[in-house]
Amino acid sequence: MALSLFNTLSLKVEEFTPSDGRTVRMYSCGPTVYNYAHIGNLRTFTFNDTLRRWLRYRGFVLNHVMNITDVEDKIIRKSMELGIPMSEYTLKYEKFFLEDMDTMRLEKPEKIVRATEHIHEMVELIEQLQTKGFTYDSDGSVYYRISKFPGYGKLSHHDFSGIQAGARVDNDEYDKDDARDFVLWKARKGQEPAWDAPFGAGRPGWHIECSAMAMKYLGDTLDIHTGGVDLAFPHHENEIAQSEGASGKPFARFWIHCEHLHVDMQKMSKSLGNIFTLRDLVELGHTPEALRFVLMSVPYRKKLNFTLESLQGAQTSIDRLRNYKLRIQTDKLAEGSNEAVTKLAAEALAKFEASMDDDLNTAEALAAVFEFIRETNTMLDQGQFFEGNRAAALDLLARFDTVFDILEVKVAAGGMEDSAVEALIAERTAAKKAKQFSRSDEIRNQLLEAGIVLEDTKDGVRWKRK
Ligand code: AMP
Ligand code: ZN
């Protein structure tokens, strides 16, 4: 089966190829940088990462753009309360966000773009919409008249035909039942940061931001647009109305939405106050890989109820994978090859790939790999796994890890590099041979302090990071 993805627009799982057959032009709504990202946000960004990696695994090239929302109501309020320029406030949280992305091993989109650096493009887009009759002005603000766009509602699959014409809304977020003409340009209030525009000093609404930046960098029709489910309405519906209103062409071929992360069955959100950040979890002693594993282990369209226990389970699974890899790399094996292992490896790889192709079914993909590990661990114990079987097992793990990216232990800043560890182990082996046991113990302790655990086996010394 070819790579297929669930498209919110058609409500169907559809086969995906980029329109030019090669490069995926993809846009993801990025963070609003007014606070630390919580792990619900990180679920959506980890989903973007999984999608990116799988598209590349399938041979496509990526041209992926993500925005940083660095002007909106909460940001303006907070920076004014603190009496600092808006950019000073947002750059701080943007930096934290990018650090969290690194810690979570999330690949960076090819372009990360700030809203405040694209005001000109937004003004131009609003002017195009004005020329085409999609807008009206009121008290220095500009609104989109949704009754002018017949396709309004096609993404959220909601019939808006009976809505009250002319009623309008200045907030960026609202419910379907509240659908009204939305704001494209907000007239300046008080001392708020503002930009000059032909329609008067003010600032852009949130929705126009994504339409303007996506079209600037990716053209009128994107291959994929992603975001969390909460963005489908009104944000993405409004993006469609703006972009298609201006260009007359379909805005995105695939709309892909990641389900929410919940805590105690409630959505994790800053306003409910039930949030964890990545930094909270690391402080509690959990690893970023464990969070990565938890977020990836549930397919993106299913709700995920987060618990701290699930992080412990994830760490056990990661350790199991790493120990298995170490065993395959270092066990002394008899010459030869067992056909049964070769067959199992081929089957596991086929199931792994088919699961990922099936709308990124990460749970099934993981199951395929763990099943292979269970079976071949038994074969290793029973001497049925040979030298000639190593490569296929390592190849499966390597392919798995191009997407899951949890096998390698990343050296923390200031941590010991692999080559330094190997050199100390060689020195310890020599010291032991020369019966200099205090030196060999000293090296073992030095390594332990650096988080390296040694294991003396009949096949020599194995080591791993704690
Ligand atoms: P924000 O920084 O609020 O603009 O949100 C950034 C991204 O996180 C958006 O794509 C949201 O849809 C997504 N998001 C917000 N809350 C959650 C949650 N609890 N679970 C998953 N994704 C979320
Ligand atoms: Zn957006």
Side-chain angles (χ1 to χ4, degrees):
M1 189 177 66
L3 168 55
S4 303
L5 297 165
F6 182 84
N7 189 348
T8 310
L9 202 56
S10 64
L11 297 177
K12 289 200 183 88
V13 176
E14 295 177 46
E15 191 173 322
F16 175 80
T17 44
S19 56
D20 73 358
R22 181 168 182 273
T23 304
V24 182
R25 283 165 309 114
M26 172 156 124
Y27 184 89
S28 299
C29 292
T32 307
V33 282
Y34 77 100
N35 208 328
Y36 291 98
H38 60 64
I39 60 170
N41 302 136
L42 291 181
R43 180 184 193 198
T44 293
F45 296 116
T46 304
F47 151 72
N48 287 336
D49 180 70
T50 309
L51 176 59
R52 276 184 62 94
R53 288 171 185 252
W54 193 250
L55 288 166
R56 255 218 324 276
Y57 188 102
R58 281 307 186 208
F60 301 126
V61 176
L62 276 151
N63 186 6
H64 181 195
V65 176
M66 182 177 76
N67 68 304
I68 300 271
T69 299
D70 59 351
V71 49
E72 58 83 78
D73 294 344
K74 291 182 288 278
I75 293 175
I76 292 173
R77 200 180 63 236
K78 294 229 177 189
S79 56
M80 283 173 77
E81 272 167 22
L82 292 171
I84 56 172
M86 192 166 71
S87 60
E88 188 181 326
Y89 183 79
T90 53
L91 283 175
K92 178 171 134 190
Y93 289 106
E94 178 186 303
K95 180 170 161 283
F96 291 144
F97 175 76
L98 296 176
E99 283 171 10
D100 286 354
M101 276 192 92
D102 269 348
T103 313
M104 288 294 288
R105 308 184 183 195
L106 305 182
E107 290 185 354
K108 294 261 160 42
E110 279 58 38
K111 276 204 181 65
I112 299 184
V113 289
R114 298 190 187 109
T116 51
E117 289 169 8
H118 296 80
I119 304 291
H120 178 68
E121 287 80 351
M122 297 177 210
V123 168
E124 274 188 353
L125 187 55
I126 297 171
E127 284 182 302
Q128 279 183 48
L129 289 169
Q130 275 186 324
T131 311
K132 296 196 171 181
F134 285 101
T135 71
Y136 59 92
D137 300 355
S138 176
D139 299 330
S141 293
V142 183
Y143 295 86
Y144 190 104
R145 193 187 297 281
I146 57 177
S147 58
K148 270 287 218 180
F149 184 71
Y152 198 80
K154 66 180 168 184
L155 183 69
S156 44
H157 305 281
H158 200 79
D159 181 6
F160 291 105
S161 51
I163 57 155
Q164 204 189 335
R168 51 181 195 265
V169 55
D170 286 311
N171 295 341
D172 282 327
E173 290 171 80
Y174 47 90
D175 293 330
K176 283 196 193 88
D177 301 332
D178 261 351
R180 281 174 277 173
D181 294 341
F182 61 91
V183 70
L184 297 166
W185 188 259
K186 301 190 191 199
R188 182 176 203 181
K189 282 198 216 95
Q191 289 311 301
E192 280 183 2
W195 287 263
D196 285 330
F199 3 95
R203 64 183 166 99
W206 173 36
H207 313 298
I208 198 74
E209 193 188 294
C210 287
S211 280
M213 290 189 279
M215 290 163 91
K216 168 169 177 159
Y217 293 106
L218 300 170
D220 289 340
T221 305
L222 324 175
D223 288 308
I224 299 179
H225 194 314
T226 75
V229 272
D230 56 322
L231 300 193
F233 188 88
H235 184 50
H236 292 162
E237 196 75 69
N238 291 351
E239 279 189 45
I240 291 178
Q242 295 164 156
S243 296
E244 300 192 359
S247 76
K249 295 185 202 134
F251 179 41
R253 297 171 53 230
F254 279 72
W255 286 89
I256 308 183
H257 292 104
C258 179
E259 244 308 339
H260 276 151
L261 181 110
H262 287 231
V263 187
D264 299 330
M265 303 303 169
Q266 270 191 314
K267 175 185 161 186
M268 177 175 284
S269 75
K270 283 166 193 155
S271 50
L272 289 173
N274 59 354
I275 64 166
F276 283 109
T277 66
L278 171 61
R279 286 149 208 256
D280 294 335
L281 298 179
V282 169
E283 227 160 74
L284 289 172
H286 299 286
T287 65
E289 295 98 291
L291 178 61
R292 185 173 167 87
F293 189 97
V294 167
L295 298 181
M296 287 187 75
S297 59
V298 175
Y300 76 94
R301 281 205 293 136
K302 288 215 163 87
K303 287 199 176 64
L304 193 170
N305 192 45
F306 176 77
T307 61
L308 288 172
E309 292 75 56
S310 64
L311 287 174
Q312 277 148 15
Q315 194 62 50
T316 307
S317 300
I318 294 171
D319 290 344
R320 198 152 159 248
L321 282 158
R322 287 178 179 169
N323 287 334
Y324 175 80
K325 183 174 175 197
L326 193 63
R327 187 171 187 194
I328 298 288
Q329 283 172 323
T330 58
D331 264 15
K332 274 231 159 57
L333 300 173
E335 286 304 317
S337 174
N338 180 352
E339 259 311 300
V341 177
T342 312
K343 191 162 165 271
L344 281 178
E347 283 168 3
L349 182 59
K351 185 168 170 221
F352 173 77
E353 291 182 341
S355 304
M356 291 302 290
D357 278 344
D358 180 14
D359 197 25
L360 309 181
N361 191 337
T362 46
E364 289 289 325
L366 269 172
V369 172
F370 274 105
E371 175 71 5
F372 175 78
I373 290 178
R374 197 180 56 74
E375 286 170 326
T376 50
N377 256 330
T378 312
M379 292 168 125
L380 279 156
D381 293 341
Q382 296 171 345
Q384 293 167 10
F385 190 109
F386 298 95
E387 189 59 48
N389 294 125
R390 261 195 237 272
L394 289 174
D395 178 60
L396 175 67
L397 291 179
R399 286 170 184 266
F400 158 83
D401 213 41
T402 56
V403 187
F404 279 77
D405 198 357
I406 45 173
L407 282 176
E408 297 307 319
V409 180
K410 297 264 154 85
V411 183
M416 202 179 278
E417 297 288 339
D418 283 10
S419 55
V421 176
E422 306 279 0
L424 278 170
I425 291 177
E427 192 189 335
R428 175 174 171 267
T429 309
K432 271 173 88 174
K433 239 188 191 154
K435 300 210 183 321
Q436 296 165 352
F437 296 115
S438 62
R439 176 64 188 141
S440 68
D441 284 349
E442 198 177 271
I443 294 174
R444 175 187 276 272
N445 289 336
Q446 185 184 346
L447 287 167
L448 200 60
E449 265 171 38
I452 312 289
V453 189
L454 300 187
E455 192 190 338
D456 289 306
T457 72
K458 63 178 176 19
D459 301 333
V461 183
R462 276 183 189 164
W463 66 273
K464 60 183 180 187
R465 294 180 195 272
K466 260 199 295 194

PDB file of all heavy atoms in Angstrom, residues 4 28-29 33 46 51 98 147 168 210 226 278 293 297 302 308-310 339 347 369 388 391 416 456:
ATOM      1  N   SER A   4      -0.571   6.682   2.788  1.00  0.00           N
ATOM      2  CA  SER A   4      -1.912   7.263   2.818  1.00  0.00           C
ATOM      3  C   SER A   4      -2.111   8.064   4.092  1.00  0.00           C
ATOM      4  O   SER A   4      -1.626   7.681   5.157  1.00  0.00           O
ATOM      5  CB  SER A   4      -2.969   6.162   2.767  1.00  0.00           C
ATOM      6  OG  SER A   4      -2.786   5.381   1.627  1.00  0.00           O
ATOM      7  N   SER A  28       2.988  24.221   8.638  1.00  0.00           N
ATOM      8  CA  SER A  28       2.459  23.858   9.961  1.00  0.00           C
ATOM      9  C   SER A  28       2.283  25.119  10.784  1.00  0.00           C
ATOM     10  O   SER A  28       3.182  25.966  10.842  1.00  0.00           O
ATOM     11  CB  SER A  28       3.452  22.948  10.702  1.00  0.00           C
ATOM     12  OG  SER A  28       3.651  21.761   9.968  1.00  0.00           O
ATOM     13  N   CYS A  29       1.123  25.212  11.444  1.00  0.00           N
ATOM     14  CA  CYS A  29       0.927  26.330  12.358  1.00  0.00           C
ATOM     15  C   CYS A  29       1.871  26.134  13.542  1.00  0.00           C
ATOM     16  O   CYS A  29       1.896  25.071  14.156  1.00  0.00           O
ATOM     17  CB  CYS A  29      -0.513  26.373  12.847  1.00  0.00           C
ATOM     18  SG  CYS A  29      -1.640  26.786  11.510  1.00  0.00           S
ATOM     19  N   VAL A  33       4.281  32.424  20.949  1.00  0.00           N
ATOM     20  CA  VAL A  33       5.380  32.464  21.921  1.00  0.00           C
ATOM     21  C   VAL A  33       5.097  33.448  23.060  1.00  0.00           C
ATOM     22  O   VAL A  33       5.703  34.516  23.140  1.00  0.00           O
ATOM     23  CB  VAL A  33       6.731  32.751  21.217  1.00  0.00           C
ATOM     24  CG1 VAL A  33       7.250  31.503  20.547  1.00  0.00           C
ATOM     25  CG2 VAL A  33       6.610  33.868  20.184  1.00  0.00           C
ATOM     26  N   THR A  46       5.541  17.019  17.655  1.00  0.00           N
ATOM     27  CA  THR A  46       6.170  15.699  17.471  1.00  0.00           C
ATOM     28  C   THR A  46       5.487  14.967  16.316  1.00  0.00           C
ATOM     29  O   THR A  46       6.137  14.266  15.538  1.00  0.00           O
ATOM     30  CB  THR A  46       6.088  14.875  18.775  1.00  0.00           C
ATOM     31  OG1 THR A  46       6.688  15.642  19.824  1.00  0.00           O
ATOM     32  CG2 THR A  46       6.809  13.555  18.648  1.00  0.00           C
ATOM     33  N   LEU A  51       5.671  12.961  10.714  1.00  0.00           N
ATOM     34  CA  LEU A  51       5.218  13.065   9.326  1.00  0.00           C
ATOM     35  C   LEU A  51       6.389  13.432   8.408  1.00  0.00           C
ATOM     36  O   LEU A  51       6.593  12.814   7.359  1.00  0.00           O
ATOM     37  CB  LEU A  51       4.098  14.119   9.249  1.00  0.00           C
ATOM     38  CG  LEU A  51       3.554  14.454   7.865  1.00  0.00           C
ATOM     39  CD1 LEU A  51       2.984  13.215   7.176  1.00  0.00           C
ATOM     40  CD2 LEU A  51       2.461  15.523   7.967  1.00  0.00           C
ATOM     41  N   LEU A  98      12.584  26.687  20.665  1.00  0.00           N
ATOM     42  CA  LEU A  98      13.551  26.042  19.769  1.00  0.00           C
ATOM     43  C   LEU A  98      14.459  25.091  20.547  1.00  0.00           C
ATOM     44  O   LEU A  98      14.830  24.023  20.056  1.00  0.00           O
ATOM     45  CB  LEU A  98      14.367  27.101  19.014  1.00  0.00           C
ATOM     46  CG  LEU A  98      13.527  27.980  18.072  1.00  0.00           C
ATOM     47  CD1 LEU A  98      14.381  29.067  17.442  1.00  0.00           C
ATOM     48  CD2 LEU A  98      12.843  27.157  16.984  1.00  0.00           C
ATOM     49  N   SER A 147     -20.078  35.419   4.180  1.00  0.00           N
ATOM     50  CA  SER A 147     -21.174  35.036   3.268  1.00  0.00           C
ATOM     51  C   SER A 147     -20.759  35.213   1.797  1.00  0.00           C
ATOM     52  O   SER A 147     -21.399  34.701   0.891  1.00  0.00           O
ATOM     53  CB  SER A 147     -22.415  35.874   3.557  1.00  0.00           C
ATOM     54  OG  SER A 147     -22.090  37.245   3.403  1.00  0.00           O
ATOM     55  N   ARG A 168     -20.068  40.530  13.487  1.00  0.00           N
ATOM     56  CA  ARG A 168     -18.630  40.308  13.347  1.00  0.00           C
ATOM     57  C   ARG A 168     -17.977  40.035  14.695  1.00  0.00           C
ATOM     58  O   ARG A 168     -18.573  40.231  15.752  1.00  0.00           O
ATOM     59  CB  ARG A 168     -17.969  41.479  12.640  1.00  0.00           C
ATOM     60  CG  ARG A 168     -18.320  42.794  13.247  1.00  0.00           C
ATOM     61  CD  ARG A 168     -17.663  43.936  12.516  1.00  0.00           C
ATOM     62  NE  ARG A 168     -17.765  45.096  13.358  1.00  0.00           N
ATOM     63  CZ  ARG A 168     -18.736  45.985  13.249  1.00  0.00           C
ATOM     64  NH1 ARG A 168     -19.647  45.855  12.308  1.00  0.00           N
ATOM     65  NH2 ARG A 168     -18.795  47.005  14.075  1.00  0.00           N
ATOM     66  N   CYS A 210      -1.080  33.216   8.756  1.00  0.00           N
ATOM     67  CA  CYS A 210      -0.697  31.927   8.170  1.00  0.00           C
ATOM     68  C   CYS A 210      -0.957  31.900   6.667  1.00  0.00           C
ATOM     69  O   CYS A 210      -0.148  31.376   5.906  1.00  0.00           O
ATOM     70  CB  CYS A 210      -1.424  30.787   8.879  1.00  0.00           C
ATOM     71  SG  CYS A 210      -0.744  30.522  10.538  1.00  0.00           S
ATOM     72  N   THR A 226      -0.768  21.376   8.286  1.00  0.00           N
ATOM     73  CA  THR A 226      -1.013  20.642   9.539  1.00  0.00           C
ATOM     74  C   THR A 226      -1.265  21.602  10.706  1.00  0.00           C
ATOM     75  O   THR A 226      -0.957  22.790  10.642  1.00  0.00           O
ATOM     76  CB  THR A 226       0.187  19.757   9.948  1.00  0.00           C
ATOM     77  OG1 THR A 226       1.231  20.593  10.462  1.00  0.00           O
ATOM     78  CG2 THR A 226       0.720  18.941   8.808  1.00  0.00           C
ATOM     79  N   LEU A 278       8.013  20.328  29.121  1.00  0.00           N
ATOM     80  CA  LEU A 278       9.114  19.374  29.007  1.00  0.00           C
ATOM     81  C   LEU A 278      10.079  19.557  30.185  1.00  0.00           C
ATOM     82  O   LEU A 278      10.565  18.599  30.776  1.00  0.00           O
ATOM     83  CB  LEU A 278       9.838  19.626  27.678  1.00  0.00           C
ATOM     84  CG  LEU A 278      11.135  18.884  27.439  1.00  0.00           C
ATOM     85  CD1 LEU A 278      10.910  17.378  27.449  1.00  0.00           C
ATOM     86  CD2 LEU A 278      11.745  19.299  26.096  1.00  0.00           C
ATOM     87  N   PHE A 293       8.787   9.011  23.134  1.00  0.00           N
ATOM     88  CA  PHE A 293       8.216   7.674  22.930  1.00  0.00           C
ATOM     89  C   PHE A 293       6.718   7.679  23.256  1.00  0.00           C
ATOM     90  O   PHE A 293       5.908   7.148  22.491  1.00  0.00           O
ATOM     91  CB  PHE A 293       8.957   6.666  23.815  1.00  0.00           C
ATOM     92  CG  PHE A 293       8.605   5.234  23.526  1.00  0.00           C
ATOM     93  CD1 PHE A 293       9.400   4.458  22.694  1.00  0.00           C
ATOM     94  CD2 PHE A 293       7.480   4.654  24.096  1.00  0.00           C
ATOM     95  CE1 PHE A 293       9.070   3.137  22.414  1.00  0.00           C
ATOM     96  CE2 PHE A 293       7.136   3.333  23.836  1.00  0.00           C
ATOM     97  CZ  PHE A 293       7.939   2.566  22.994  1.00  0.00           C
ATOM     98  N   SER A 297       3.896   6.887  20.508  1.00  0.00           N
ATOM     99  CA  SER A 297       3.380   5.511  20.553  1.00  0.00           C
ATOM    100  C   SER A 297       1.870   5.457  20.291  1.00  0.00           C
ATOM    101  O   SER A 297       1.340   4.418  19.956  1.00  0.00           O
ATOM    102  CB  SER A 297       3.714   4.866  21.896  1.00  0.00           C
ATOM    103  OG  SER A 297       3.144   5.627  22.934  1.00  0.00           O
ATOM    104  N   LYS A 302      -5.656   9.583  17.506  1.00  0.00           N
ATOM    105  CA  LYS A 302      -6.318   9.116  18.730  1.00  0.00           C
ATOM    106  C   LYS A 302      -6.012  10.087  19.862  1.00  0.00           C
ATOM    107  O   LYS A 302      -4.897  10.604  19.954  1.00  0.00           O
ATOM    108  CB  LYS A 302      -5.730   7.757  19.130  1.00  0.00           C
ATOM    109  CG  LYS A 302      -6.131   6.611  18.245  1.00  0.00           C
ATOM    110  CD  LYS A 302      -6.272   5.360  19.119  1.00  0.00           C
ATOM    111  CE  LYS A 302      -7.047   4.279  18.421  1.00  0.00           C
ATOM    112  NZ  LYS A 302      -6.210   3.434  17.586  1.00  0.00           N
ATOM    113  N   LEU A 308       2.091  10.219  34.308  1.00  0.00           N
ATOM    114  CA  LEU A 308       3.531  10.115  34.586  1.00  0.00           C
ATOM    115  C   LEU A 308       3.977   8.657  34.504  1.00  0.00           C
ATOM    116  O   LEU A 308       5.108   8.368  34.095  1.00  0.00           O
ATOM    117  CB  LEU A 308       3.847  10.689  35.966  1.00  0.00           C
ATOM    118  CG  LEU A 308       3.763  12.212  36.068  1.00  0.00           C
ATOM    119  CD1 LEU A 308       3.909  12.673  37.506  1.00  0.00           C
ATOM    120  CD2 LEU A 308       4.818  12.891  35.196  1.00  0.00           C
ATOM    121  N   GLU A 309       3.078   7.727  34.852  1.00  0.00           N
ATOM    122  CA  GLU A 309       3.433   6.295  34.777  1.00  0.00           C
ATOM    123  C   GLU A 309       3.780   5.901  33.346  1.00  0.00           C
ATOM    124  O   GLU A 309       4.649   5.064  33.130  1.00  0.00           O
ATOM    125  CB  GLU A 309       2.280   5.394  35.256  1.00  0.00           C
ATOM    126  CG  GLU A 309       1.956   5.467  36.740  1.00  0.00           C
ATOM    127  CD  GLU A 309       1.206   6.740  37.085  1.00  0.00           C
ATOM    128  OE1 GLU A 309       0.153   6.980  36.477  1.00  0.00           O
ATOM    129  OE2 GLU A 309       1.681   7.516  37.943  1.00  0.00           O
ATOM    130  N   SER A 310       3.076   6.515  32.384  1.00  0.00           N
ATOM    131  CA  SER A 310       3.347   6.126  30.997  1.00  0.00           C
ATOM    132  C   SER A 310       4.791   6.470  30.622  1.00  0.00           C
ATOM    133  O   SER A 310       5.398   5.805  29.780  1.00  0.00           O
ATOM    134  CB  SER A 310       2.365   6.787  30.032  1.00  0.00           C
ATOM    135  OG  SER A 310       2.525   8.184  30.062  1.00  0.00           O
ATOM    136  N   GLU A 339      18.005 -18.892   8.276  1.00  0.00           N
ATOM    137  CA  GLU A 339      16.973 -18.408   7.345  1.00  0.00           C
ATOM    138  C   GLU A 339      15.739 -17.874   8.074  1.00  0.00           C
ATOM    139  O   GLU A 339      15.102 -16.910   7.650  1.00  0.00           O
ATOM    140  CB  GLU A 339      16.531 -19.560   6.421  1.00  0.00           C
ATOM    141  CG  GLU A 339      17.136 -19.516   5.038  1.00  0.00           C
ATOM    142  CD  GLU A 339      17.011 -18.152   4.374  1.00  0.00           C
ATOM    143  OE1 GLU A 339      15.874 -17.689   4.183  1.00  0.00           O
ATOM    144  OE2 GLU A 339      18.053 -17.534   4.076  1.00  0.00           O
ATOM    145  N   GLU A 347       9.841  -9.738   7.412  1.00  0.00           N
ATOM    146  CA  GLU A 347       8.412  -9.568   7.758  1.00  0.00           C
ATOM    147  C   GLU A 347       8.207  -8.367   8.679  1.00  0.00           C
ATOM    148  O   GLU A 347       7.266  -7.595   8.519  1.00  0.00           O
ATOM    149  CB  GLU A 347       7.877 -10.828   8.459  1.00  0.00           C
ATOM    150  CG  GLU A 347       7.596 -11.950   7.484  1.00  0.00           C
ATOM    151  CD  GLU A 347       7.346 -13.285   8.192  1.00  0.00           C
ATOM    152  OE1 GLU A 347       7.345 -13.324   9.448  1.00  0.00           O
ATOM    153  OE2 GLU A 347       7.183 -14.283   7.476  1.00  0.00           O
ATOM    154  N   VAL A 369       8.260  -4.089  15.539  1.00  0.00           N
ATOM    155  CA  VAL A 369       9.671  -4.128  15.952  1.00  0.00           C
ATOM    156  C   VAL A 369       9.818  -4.898  17.274  1.00  0.00           C
ATOM    157  O   VAL A 369      10.723  -5.726  17.433  1.00  0.00           O
ATOM    158  CB  VAL A 369      10.238  -2.691  16.049  1.00  0.00           C
ATOM    159  CG1 VAL A 369      11.621  -2.683  16.654  1.00  0.00           C
ATOM    160  CG2 VAL A 369      10.246  -2.051  14.674  1.00  0.00           C
ATOM    161  N   GLY A 388      25.779 -14.139  10.543  1.00  0.00           N
ATOM    162  CA  GLY A 388      25.171 -13.664   9.284  1.00  0.00           C
ATOM    163  C   GLY A 388      23.798 -13.037   9.471  1.00  0.00           C
ATOM    164  O   GLY A 388      23.212 -12.533   8.510  1.00  0.00           O
ATOM    165  N   ALA A 391      23.357  -8.261  10.470  1.00  0.00           N
ATOM    166  CA  ALA A 391      23.124  -7.089   9.609  1.00  0.00           C
ATOM    167  C   ALA A 391      21.636  -6.797   9.445  1.00  0.00           C
ATOM    168  O   ALA A 391      21.211  -5.636   9.525  1.00  0.00           O
ATOM    169  CB  ALA A 391      23.787  -7.299   8.250  1.00  0.00           C
ATOM    170  N   MET A 416      30.734  12.858  28.195  1.00  0.00           N
ATOM    171  CA  MET A 416      31.914  12.205  27.625  1.00  0.00           C
ATOM    172  C   MET A 416      31.600  11.635  26.243  1.00  0.00           C
ATOM    173  O   MET A 416      30.598  10.953  26.060  1.00  0.00           O
ATOM    174  CB  MET A 416      32.329  11.081  28.582  1.00  0.00           C
ATOM    175  CG  MET A 416      33.761  10.675  28.418  1.00  0.00           C
ATOM    176  SD  MET A 416      34.201   9.369  29.585  1.00  0.00           S
ATOM    177  CE  MET A 416      34.530  10.259  31.064  1.00  0.00           C
ATOM    178  N   ASP A 456      31.224  -6.507  32.441  1.00  0.00           N
ATOM    179  CA  ASP A 456      32.237  -7.452  31.965  1.00  0.00           C
ATOM    180  C   ASP A 456      31.527  -8.738  31.555  1.00  0.00           C
ATOM    181  O   ASP A 456      30.883  -9.375  32.364  1.00  0.00           O
ATOM    182  CB  ASP A 456      33.256  -7.732  33.079  1.00  0.00           C
ATOM    183  CG  ASP A 456      34.137  -6.508  33.323  1.00  0.00           C
ATOM    184  OD1 ASP A 456      34.733  -6.005  32.352  1.00  0.00           O
ATOM    185  OD2 ASP A 456      34.205  -6.041  34.484  1.00  0.00           O
TER     186      ASP A 456
END
